[in-house]
Amino acid sequence: MSAAIDAVRDAFRELAAGNFVLPARQIFGDGTVLVMSAYHSPSGTAVVKKIGIALDQVPAIRATVIWTGGGEQLVADGSSITTLRTGAVVGVATDLLAPADASRLTLIGTGAQAPDQVRAVLAVRRIAAVTVTGRSADRAAALSTSLTAEFPDVKFTPSTSVDDAIADADIVCCATSSSTPLFEADALPERVHVNAIGAFRPTMRELPRDLLTTASIVIVDQREAALEESGEIIDAVTSGALSTEDLLELGPALSQPLEPTGRTVFKSVGIGPQDWAIAAALAKA
């Protein structure tokens, strides 16, 4: 995970420097089939990912990644790359925005994306306690048990109450397919960093509007992608509660002097350079 975080961080810096050609994501079948691509101009390498999404199945995401460059081609399981690169970008944003002394993490969601969310945060902060929250008590308990085996020095506690789980959190990671906000902003501590990676369609929302409008910093992976695909960002902007100028992009933010205070938010819908970063690292391995 640490290597993935470094690779994704570098890719976002490259994106900010204008070194990627990044076509808009192609969406078919009401979001059940996605095609993403990115071309890295300095290296002459490219990545294409085809994703099939069925939220009523396990796993919900099935994908294939193809990376090409220098006469070579790498074909890899896109589902694994997707969970890894999504965790990695959360690690980058958490390292940038979360309190340096953060020790309590709340994870909302128990699906395929969930474990790498925890791994990423633990890679950048000294977390002592993690609350795993989901609609199913059994799944929350099972995930807590498996993560305890991986991180025996961290206390994992399962829960089905989102409000209780976030009440004293320093960091919150949302990884669900919810179409309505998971909590009210008032349920959060005054000082907290929130990551949201689950909602990738205009009809999906994990975050409440008033969190986005009152946060000291709101960062997205890419403004254009967020305005096209993130339900919570689209809602806040179209309502007039949030302006596009309020949205910082992750790449440029990495080189800006930020002063996070109070509540901060990172919203990701996922973009091609993340897949390129992981695939390029695999190709070099």
PDB file of all heavy atoms in Angstrom, residues 255-272:
ATOM      1  N   SER A 255       0.924  20.669  -4.118  1.00  0.00           N
ATOM      2  CA  SER A 255       2.024  21.627  -4.105  1.00  0.00           C
ATOM      3  C   SER A 255       1.600  22.990  -3.575  1.00  0.00           C
ATOM      4  O   SER A 255       2.331  23.966  -3.696  1.00  0.00           O
ATOM      5  CB  SER A 255       2.612  21.793  -5.514  1.00  0.00           C
ATOM      6  OG  SER A 255       1.614  22.236  -6.435  1.00  0.00           O
ATOM      7  N   GLN A 256       0.399  23.055  -2.983  1.00  0.00           N
ATOM      8  CA  GLN A 256      -0.093  24.303  -2.408  1.00  0.00           C
ATOM      9  C   GLN A 256       0.091  24.290  -0.895  1.00  0.00           C
ATOM     10  O   GLN A 256       0.010  23.240  -0.261  1.00  0.00           O
ATOM     11  CB  GLN A 256      -1.578  24.507  -2.732  1.00  0.00           C
ATOM     12  CG  GLN A 256      -1.884  24.723  -4.200  1.00  0.00           C
ATOM     13  CD  GLN A 256      -3.365  24.895  -4.462  1.00  0.00           C
ATOM     14  OE1 GLN A 256      -4.164  25.036  -3.544  1.00  0.00           O
ATOM     15  NE2 GLN A 256      -3.752  24.873  -5.730  1.00  0.00           N
ATOM     16  N   PRO A 257       0.313  25.463  -0.306  1.00  0.00           N
ATOM     17  CA  PRO A 257       0.389  25.537   1.159  1.00  0.00           C
ATOM     18  C   PRO A 257      -1.007  25.515   1.772  1.00  0.00           C
ATOM     19  O   PRO A 257      -1.648  26.553   1.935  1.00  0.00           O
ATOM     20  CB  PRO A 257       1.094  26.876   1.402  1.00  0.00           C
ATOM     21  CG  PRO A 257       0.740  27.707   0.200  1.00  0.00           C
ATOM     22  CD  PRO A 257       0.604  26.756  -0.951  1.00  0.00           C
ATOM     23  N   LEU A 258      -1.487  24.343   2.110  1.00  0.00           N
ATOM     24  CA  LEU A 258      -2.823  24.202   2.687  1.00  0.00           C
ATOM     25  C   LEU A 258      -2.762  24.305   4.201  1.00  0.00           C
ATOM     26  O   LEU A 258      -1.783  23.889   4.824  1.00  0.00           O
ATOM     27  CB  LEU A 258      -3.429  22.860   2.302  1.00  0.00           C
ATOM     28  CG  LEU A 258      -3.630  22.585   0.811  1.00  0.00           C
ATOM     29  CD1 LEU A 258      -4.227  21.203   0.614  1.00  0.00           C
ATOM     30  CD2 LEU A 258      -4.493  23.647   0.161  1.00  0.00           C
ATOM     31  N   GLU A 259      -3.822  24.818   4.780  1.00  0.00           N
ATOM     32  CA  GLU A 259      -3.934  24.906   6.234  1.00  0.00           C
ATOM     33  C   GLU A 259      -5.264  24.288   6.658  1.00  0.00           C
ATOM     34  O   GLU A 259      -6.234  24.994   6.930  1.00  0.00           O
ATOM     35  CB  GLU A 259      -3.834  26.359   6.698  1.00  0.00           C
ATOM     36  CG  GLU A 259      -2.492  27.011   6.413  1.00  0.00           C
ATOM     37  CD  GLU A 259      -2.403  28.426   6.947  1.00  0.00           C
ATOM     38  OE1 GLU A 259      -3.382  28.878   7.575  1.00  0.00           O
ATOM     39  OE2 GLU A 259      -1.364  29.065   6.748  1.00  0.00           O
ATOM     40  N   PRO A 260      -5.332  22.961   6.713  1.00  0.00           N
ATOM     41  CA  PRO A 260      -6.595  22.299   7.082  1.00  0.00           C
ATOM     42  C   PRO A 260      -7.001  22.636   8.510  1.00  0.00           C
ATOM     43  O   PRO A 260      -6.194  22.563   9.434  1.00  0.00           O
ATOM     44  CB  PRO A 260      -6.255  20.806   6.949  1.00  0.00           C
ATOM     45  CG  PRO A 260      -5.016  20.756   6.123  1.00  0.00           C
ATOM     46  CD  PRO A 260      -4.262  22.004   6.429  1.00  0.00           C
ATOM     47  N   THR A 261      -8.250  23.016   8.670  1.00  0.00           N
ATOM     48  CA  THR A 261      -8.810  23.266   9.995  1.00  0.00           C
ATOM     49  C   THR A 261     -10.213  22.677  10.039  1.00  0.00           C
ATOM     50  O   THR A 261     -10.857  22.492   9.006  1.00  0.00           O
ATOM     51  CB  THR A 261      -8.889  24.763  10.308  1.00  0.00           C
ATOM     52  OG1 THR A 261      -9.716  25.415   9.322  1.00  0.00           O
ATOM     53  CG2 THR A 261      -7.513  25.407  10.312  1.00  0.00           C
ATOM     54  N   GLY A 262     -10.697  22.394  11.241  1.00  0.00           N
ATOM     55  CA  GLY A 262     -12.064  21.900  11.377  1.00  0.00           C
ATOM     56  C   GLY A 262     -12.301  20.644  10.559  1.00  0.00           C
ATOM     57  O   GLY A 262     -11.574  19.657  10.671  1.00  0.00           O
ATOM     58  N   ARG A 263     -13.301  20.688   9.691  1.00  0.00           N
ATOM     59  CA  ARG A 263     -13.657  19.543   8.870  1.00  0.00           C
ATOM     60  C   ARG A 263     -13.098  19.703   7.454  1.00  0.00           C
ATOM     61  O   ARG A 263     -13.173  20.785   6.871  1.00  0.00           O
ATOM     62  CB  ARG A 263     -15.172  19.395   8.809  1.00  0.00           C
ATOM     63  CG  ARG A 263     -15.802  19.087  10.162  1.00  0.00           C
ATOM     64  CD  ARG A 263     -17.308  19.251  10.112  1.00  0.00           C
ATOM     65  NE  ARG A 263     -17.920  18.907  11.400  1.00  0.00           N
ATOM     66  CZ  ARG A 263     -19.180  19.194  11.720  1.00  0.00           C
ATOM     67  NH1 ARG A 263     -19.962  19.826  10.849  1.00  0.00           N
ATOM     68  NH2 ARG A 263     -19.652  18.849  12.914  1.00  0.00           N
ATOM     69  N   THR A 264     -12.542  18.637   6.933  1.00  0.00           N
ATOM     70  CA  THR A 264     -12.039  18.618   5.562  1.00  0.00           C
ATOM     71  C   THR A 264     -12.629  17.417   4.838  1.00  0.00           C
ATOM     72  O   THR A 264     -13.005  16.415   5.466  1.00  0.00           O
ATOM     73  CB  THR A 264     -10.505  18.546   5.521  1.00  0.00           C
ATOM     74  OG1 THR A 264     -10.065  17.375   6.243  1.00  0.00           O
ATOM     75  CG2 THR A 264      -9.891  19.791   6.145  1.00  0.00           C
ATOM     76  N   VAL A 265     -12.719  17.509   3.504  1.00  0.00           N
ATOM     77  CA  VAL A 265     -13.362  16.467   2.711  1.00  0.00           C
ATOM     78  C   VAL A 265     -12.515  16.151   1.484  1.00  0.00           C
ATOM     79  O   VAL A 265     -11.999  17.060   0.826  1.00  0.00           O
ATOM     80  CB  VAL A 265     -14.769  16.913   2.254  1.00  0.00           C
ATOM     81  CG1 VAL A 265     -15.375  15.888   1.283  1.00  0.00           C
ATOM     82  CG2 VAL A 265     -15.696  17.103   3.446  1.00  0.00           C
ATOM     83  N   PHE A 266     -12.398  14.868   1.185  1.00  0.00           N
ATOM     84  CA  PHE A 266     -11.870  14.423  -0.096  1.00  0.00           C
ATOM     85  C   PHE A 266     -12.913  13.564  -0.766  1.00  0.00           C
ATOM     86  O   PHE A 266     -13.373  12.565  -0.207  1.00  0.00           O
ATOM     87  CB  PHE A 266     -10.579  13.624   0.057  1.00  0.00           C
ATOM     88  CG  PHE A 266     -10.108  13.008  -1.233  1.00  0.00           C
ATOM     89  CD1 PHE A 266      -9.775  13.808  -2.320  1.00  0.00           C
ATOM     90  CD2 PHE A 266     -10.006  11.624  -1.374  1.00  0.00           C
ATOM     91  CE1 PHE A 266      -9.352  13.248  -3.525  1.00  0.00           C
ATOM     92  CE2 PHE A 266      -9.576  11.057  -2.568  1.00  0.00           C
ATOM     93  CZ  PHE A 266      -9.251  11.876  -3.641  1.00  0.00           C
ATOM     94  N   LYS A 267     -13.307  13.950  -1.980  1.00  0.00           N
ATOM     95  CA  LYS A 267     -14.291  13.195  -2.746  1.00  0.00           C
ATOM     96  C   LYS A 267     -13.633  12.673  -4.025  1.00  0.00           C
ATOM     97  O   LYS A 267     -13.082  13.441  -4.801  1.00  0.00           O
ATOM     98  CB  LYS A 267     -15.494  14.088  -3.113  1.00  0.00           C
ATOM     99  CG  LYS A 267     -16.459  13.448  -4.109  1.00  0.00           C
ATOM    100  CD  LYS A 267     -17.034  12.147  -3.597  1.00  0.00           C
ATOM    101  CE  LYS A 267     -17.654  11.313  -4.719  1.00  0.00           C
ATOM    102  NZ  LYS A 267     -18.096   9.992  -4.227  1.00  0.00           N
ATOM    103  N   SER A 268     -13.692  11.355  -4.221  1.00  0.00           N
ATOM    104  CA  SER A 268     -13.079  10.742  -5.394  1.00  0.00           C
ATOM    105  C   SER A 268     -14.104   9.944  -6.177  1.00  0.00           C
ATOM    106  O   SER A 268     -14.907   9.205  -5.599  1.00  0.00           O
ATOM    107  CB  SER A 268     -11.933   9.827  -4.967  1.00  0.00           C
ATOM    108  OG  SER A 268     -11.388   9.145  -6.082  1.00  0.00           O
ATOM    109  N   VAL A 269     -14.070  10.094  -7.502  1.00  0.00           N
ATOM    110  CA  VAL A 269     -14.841   9.216  -8.379  1.00  0.00           C
ATOM    111  C   VAL A 269     -13.916   8.288  -9.157  1.00  0.00           C
ATOM    112  O   VAL A 269     -14.383   7.365  -9.823  1.00  0.00           O
ATOM    113  CB  VAL A 269     -15.734  10.010  -9.358  1.00  0.00           C
ATOM    114  CG1 VAL A 269     -16.821  10.755  -8.606  1.00  0.00           C
ATOM    115  CG2 VAL A 269     -14.920  10.971 -10.217  1.00  0.00           C
ATOM    116  N   GLY A 270     -12.611   8.532  -9.064  1.00  0.00           N
ATOM    117  CA  GLY A 270     -11.633   7.686  -9.729  1.00  0.00           C
ATOM    118  C   GLY A 270     -11.350   8.148 -11.143  1.00  0.00           C
ATOM    119  O   GLY A 270     -12.274   8.383 -11.928  1.00  0.00           O
ATOM    120  N   ILE A 271     -10.063   8.296 -11.477  1.00  0.00           N
ATOM    121  CA  ILE A 271      -9.680   8.720 -12.825  1.00  0.00           C
ATOM    122  C   ILE A 271      -8.526   7.858 -13.325  1.00  0.00           C
ATOM    123  O   ILE A 271      -7.821   7.200 -12.559  1.00  0.00           O
ATOM    124  CB  ILE A 271      -9.302  10.222 -12.876  1.00  0.00           C
ATOM    125  CG1 ILE A 271      -8.191  10.544 -11.876  1.00  0.00           C
ATOM    126  CG2 ILE A 271     -10.539  11.080 -12.623  1.00  0.00           C
ATOM    127  CD1 ILE A 271      -7.722  11.994 -11.954  1.00  0.00           C
ATOM    128  N   GLY A 272      -8.306   7.894 -14.640  1.00  0.00           N
ATOM    129  CA  GLY A 272      -7.354   7.018 -15.303  1.00  0.00           C
ATOM    130  C   GLY A 272      -5.925   7.046 -14.784  1.00  0.00           C
ATOM    131  O   GLY A 272      -5.281   5.982 -14.714  1.00  0.00           O
TER     132      GLY A 272
END
